[in-house]
Amino acid sequence: MNRIITIFISIMLFTVFIGCAKNPAPQFRIRNDQAVKVNVKVQTSTNEKIAINDIGYQQTTPYQDVAEGNLTVTSVTQNESFSFLAEKNTKYTVIISEGKPPMMVVDK
């Protein structure tokens, strides 16, 4: 009986440890503040290319993991781009606004 309790407690501690582990990869999402749908292309420093199409008005996409390093975000609708350095354990929101170039906000 004592052995079963020890195994049960070990499994519970392992589950809590795994569940509380941080995601070390940087993450980003896109928020559209324009009145029209937008298309966005993202290129990572590892040359991975991500296309996110038809983001609706005031819609925010789910977070996506990317490799640590430089990210280049291009708003196809506005034909404007910018770059920023994505760091571990950080979440970013890229905001596409009416009449402004795309900008990035670090989420806390």
Side-chain angles (χ1 to χ4, degrees):
M1 185 68 173
N2 199 15
R3 183 177 213 138
I4 293 173
I5 292 172
T6 304
I7 291 172
F8 180 73
I9 290 172
S10 298
I11 290 172
M12 293 301 292
L13 287 174
F14 180 74
T15 303
V16 168
F17 178 74
I18 295 299
C20 294
K22 286 188 171 185
N23 183 359
Q27 296 180 320
F28 79 96
R29 65 183 179 178
I30 309 294
R31 186 177 86 200
N32 178 18
D33 287 347
Q34 290 190 0
V36 296
K37 290 183 178 181
V38 296
N39 298 324
V40 176
K41 292 183 181 178
V42 179
Q43 183 169 353
T44 67
S45 56
T46 59
N47 284 329
E48 178 185 2
K49 296 177 182 172
I50 303 166
I52 305 170
N53 297 317
D54 296 330
I55 305 167
Y57 173 60
Q58 293 188 338
Q59 180 182 357
T60 303
T61 64
Y63 283 106
Q64 294 187 31
D65 291 345
V66 290
E68 185 177 12
N70 192 51
L71 287 183
T72 302
V73 179
T74 303
S75 170
V76 177
T77 310
Q78 294 174 311
N79 197 25
E80 292 193 36
S81 64
F82 75 101
S83 296
F84 64 95
L85 186 62
E87 299 175 353
K88 284 184 179 179
N89 296 321
T90 309
K91 293 182 177 185
Y92 302 93
T93 298
V94 176
I95 302 170
I96 310 295
S97 298
E98 193 77 43
K100 298 179 188 175
M103 64 181 201
M104 178 269 303
V105 176
V106 177
D107 299 336
K108 299 290 179 184

